DNA sequence: ACCTCGTGAGAGAGCGCTCTCTCCACATCC
DNA sequence: GGATGTGGAGAGAGCGCTCTCTCACGAGGT
């Protein structure tokens, strides 16, 4: 009836529980014929180790919390980046036999719960996916005695190893691409300025324009489609003669394209548009979107490596990955 | 150094471990002043129960596996439905203090791992999100002695309680909408026919056309954008005079719109398009997509209730939720 | 005054596993 | 041949918790 225990396996194989445990854990100090007997018993009984009992004594849980901290405006079901990160993190962690415990941190209530949970030693480590600004979570988690890594540089100064892409460099490349194709009045739709990605991509934009003596035309969105739409309308009002826009993410770029269409502007003939992220939908806009790709899957893999490294006392240096310009038809 | 145990709390409060345990677990048979003393000790020590020790004795883990079984063509980072389901399931489960363990079932290797894991009693229950066809997973999981529920009716006949939306009824409503707006040659882009949603939506389409003596024009896709695009081109070749398309999901509808645009057809003037799902992007297509909405969040909530119900011997009847026509500009 | 009964608290077993410690058998060396 | 070393196996403690069983005590009935 009940699931078989190590005791049962040992009895069936005619050995002690300790020996059975050695076989299960792959220790080499077991004679071959005994090992065989135990393995046969395991198969016959369909034995599966009880993880609760195991972690009770080893003080490890072999599970990793994936903490997704979403802002009210940036729900992860809307933003394809979240799911890509979650998916590839799962793949990576499963490959090394770690369990993925998914935790949403939205309300303050869930924050408290989360902290208790993590402080309670239920997980061996935490991967923090917090895209939004003044998030108290990085600070709170770094105080706990649990290894924490972050996807994206935390917005607050806190000592958490992280993986990020080169937002400044990517934005610079995007704007340079617009300049080199002869555009003269290049506006930007920036992301929220309490987010690192928002800040850095704006910085990149400004760097290039400053160096080339063009003036900057800025509207600010919050990385959602809606806000991109609104920001584009704003820009057209501010400077009807603009001939290019660098949009800080693709979701907003989709909204911007819609506003441009409604305003009767042709893309790229009248206005060139470059986005950032290369989400899947970028291929399907009208026209297809030129954008900066960053390797989300590789970033996540690097993040997992970083965390696993911390367990064995490895380095905790940030990892910054480069971005790549993907030229389609919008610019 | 080490995390405080119940023993430590009991000692500090001057009671036995048993009494401290009673307080932690909210039993009422503890005198108020003793309860206060214990609670103070808990606060002072920052005590958090060790879940491994607890599950060892209670035989419960308070965690639920969210098994996402994705087909090679339908990766969940691409399909917004997956993330919506995952997100709302998390929210619902966290509300009742259950942990969410996310498991991806893609390769056969991960299947074996998954079965072992679930058979190992690491989770109290399983929520299966399997959109794709001949998935061996439902069958395999139903054999285990673990409560399992499914999002969407399993494609194979297996005794797993599930929650689904009324695919047949929804498709019927969509096609009736096209008919009532005067369309005469109504084609469909069906989903994969090894999937229940694919089958049922095609059935709904056929039902209405049969009753109204129109002939059906069918192309089959696999629920991806690409396939929608290809299927639309196919349909235009098969019947250049078609004046409406019912597309079995929005992702394919986005692809279909693209093909229509490339073929120089105006939507909805020349060809009306109705999708299914009401994903976020449906609002942002050109023109915005008329579609059948089904309440994913409510479905997920119902699914969670169904699973929690199974724990206490509740009913295991399937739940079917209605769909709703959302009229935008494409039809 | 005795007994019953209910209530609140403690003692202690035991959940299934790991891991140290111990022991035994046998090979090796002076 | 006795001391020493070595590889392989068992004994048993203990991880932190829950929960049953037991007991002490006081209220209420006879």
């Amino acid at each position: 009836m009940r699931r078989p225990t190590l005791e049962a396996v040992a009895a069936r194989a005619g050995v002690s529980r300790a020996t059975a445990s050695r076989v299960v854990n792959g220790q080499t100090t077991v004679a071959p014929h005994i090992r065989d007997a135990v393995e046969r018993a395991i198969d016959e009984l369909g034995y599966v180790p009880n993880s609760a009992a195991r972690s009770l004594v080893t003080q490890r849980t072999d599970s990793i919390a994936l903490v997704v901290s979403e802002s009210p405006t940036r729900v992860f079901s809307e933003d394809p980046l979240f799911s890509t990160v979650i998916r590839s993190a799962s793949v990576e962690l499963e490959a090394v036999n770690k369990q993925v415990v998914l935790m949403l941190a939205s309300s303050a209530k869930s924050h408290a719960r989360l902290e208790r949970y993590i402080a309670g030693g239920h997980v061996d480590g935490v991967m923090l996916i917090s895209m939004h600004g003044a998030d108290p979570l990085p600070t709170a988690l770094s105080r706990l005695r649990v290894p924490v890594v972050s996807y994206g540089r935390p917005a607050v100064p806190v000592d958490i190893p992280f993986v990020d892409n080169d937002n400044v460099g990517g934005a610079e490349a995007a704007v340079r691409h617009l300049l080199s194709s002869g555009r003269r009045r290049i506006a930007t739709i920036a992301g929220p300025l309490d987010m690192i990605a928002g800040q850095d991509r704006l910085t990149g934009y400004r760097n290039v324009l400053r160096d080339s003596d063009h003036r900057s035309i800025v509207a600010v969105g919050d990385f959602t489609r809606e806000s991109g739409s609104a920001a584009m309308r704003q820009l057209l009002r501010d400077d009807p003669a603009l001939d290019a826009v660098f949009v800080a993410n693709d979701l907003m770029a989709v909204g911007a394209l819609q506003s441009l269409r409604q305003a009767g502007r042709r893309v790229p003939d009248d206005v060139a548009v470059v986005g950032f992220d290369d989400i899947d939908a970028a291929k399907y806009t009208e026209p297809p979107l030129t954008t900066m790709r960053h390797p989300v899957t590789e970033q996540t893999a690097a993040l997992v490596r970083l965390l696993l490294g911390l367990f064995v006392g490895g380095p905790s240096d940030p990892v910054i990955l480069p971005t790549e310009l993907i030229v389609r038809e919008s610019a």
Side-chain angles (χ1 to χ4, degrees), chain A:
Chain A
M1 198 72 263
R2 189 165 219 138
R3 291 171 45 211
T5 69
L6 238 207
E7 192 78 54
V9 171
R12 181 162 194 121
V15 299
S16 74
R17 201 175 56 241
T19 303
S21 172
R22 288 189 185 101
V23 173
V24 169
N25 292 290
Q27 289 188 27
T28 50
T29 63
V30 181
H33 69 280
I34 297 215
R35 165 176 304 272
D36 287 349
V38 173
E39 280 170 351
R40 211 174 316 118
I42 290 176
D43 276 355
E44 288 165 5
L45 295 174
Y47 170 76
V48 182
N50 179 319
S51 60
R54 180 178 279 174
S55 21
L56 186 56
V57 35
T58 59
Q59 309 280 24
R60 283 183 299 102
T61 62
D62 284 331
S63 53
I64 303 290
L66 206 60
V67 176
V68 179
S69 176
E70 49 177 27
S71 65
T73 59
R74 207 178 186 211
V75 177
F76 90 80
S77 52
E78 186 186 327
D79 193 327
L81 273 183
F82 277 111
S83 24
T84 308
V85 172
I86 289 175
R87 177 166 180 278
S88 46
S90 295
V91 170
E92 295 289 332
L93 287 170
E94 291 194 358
V96 292
N97 264 292
K98 301 285 182 205
Q99 252 26 262
V100 180
V101 178
L102 186 66
M103 312 198 74
L104 261 38
S106 31
S107 61
K109 195 176 123 235
S110 67
H111 262 88
R113 180 170 178 277
L114 206 123
E115 270 187 67
R116 283 194 83 75
Y117 185 76
I118 291 170
H122 296 66
V123 292
D124 296 344
V126 178
M127 290 180 52
L128 185 56
I129 307 178
S130 163
M131 315 270 191
H132 85 116
D135 195 335
L137 215 49
T139 318
L141 293 184
S142 72
R143 273 200 302 265
L144 273 32
R145 284 163 301 172
V146 177
V148 180
V149 296
S150 166
Y151 179 90
R153 180 152 57 94
V156 288
V158 61
D159 191 27
I160 293 181
F162 64 88
V163 173
D164 209 340
N165 51 316
D166 182 8
N167 287 309
V168 176
E172 289 174 352
V175 178
R176 257 188 253 112
H177 173 72
L178 289 170
L179 271 178
S180 69
S181 62
R183 306 290 171 165
R184 290 294 149 239
R185 300 182 88 129
I186 303 176
T188 191
I189 299 179
L193 297 180
D194 61 347
M195 287 176 59
I196 291 298
Q199 289 170 21
D200 285 0
R201 293 174 190 179
L202 180 57
T203 301
Y205 164 84
R206 288 208 155 114
N207 286 351
V208 175
L209 290 201
R210 188 190 335 100
D211 295 348
S212 62
D213 277 333
H214 288 76
R215 69 186 187 85
S216 51
I217 313 163
V218 180
V220 177
D222 63 6
F223 279 155
T224 63
R225 230 170 320 212
E226 311 275 3
S227 76
S229 221
M232 191 67 240
R233 285 191 296 272
Q234 177 69 42
L235 286 176
L236 288 173
R237 246 175 281 133
D238 291 353
D239 188 344
L242 59 84
D243 61 2
V245 198
F246 164 60
V247 190
N249 80 339
D250 286 353
L251 222 47
M252 290 198 297
V254 171
L257 286 177
Q258 197 186 28
S259 290
L260 285 167
R261 200 160 41 224
Q262 284 166 358
R265 300 293 209 284
R266 287 166 307 160
V267 176
D269 312 45
D270 302 332
V271 179
V273 177
V274 179
F276 207 112
D277 286 347
D278 192 25
I279 63 175
D280 217 66
K283 290 201 287 277
Y284 297 91
T285 52
E286 174 56 26
L289 193 63
T290 294
T291 186
M292 299 303 305
R293 174 185 297 169
H294 50 100
V296 181
T297 308
E298 284 170 43
Q299 280 178 74
T300 313
L303 191 63
V304 170
R305 277 197 301 276
L306 194 61
L307 181 58
L308 297 179
L310 291 183
F311 293 157
V312 295
S316 57
D317 306 318
V319 178
I320 309 284
L321 294 172
T323 57
E324 178 193 1
L325 176 70
I326 304 293
V327 179
R328 298 207 178 86
E329 296 170 29
S330 72

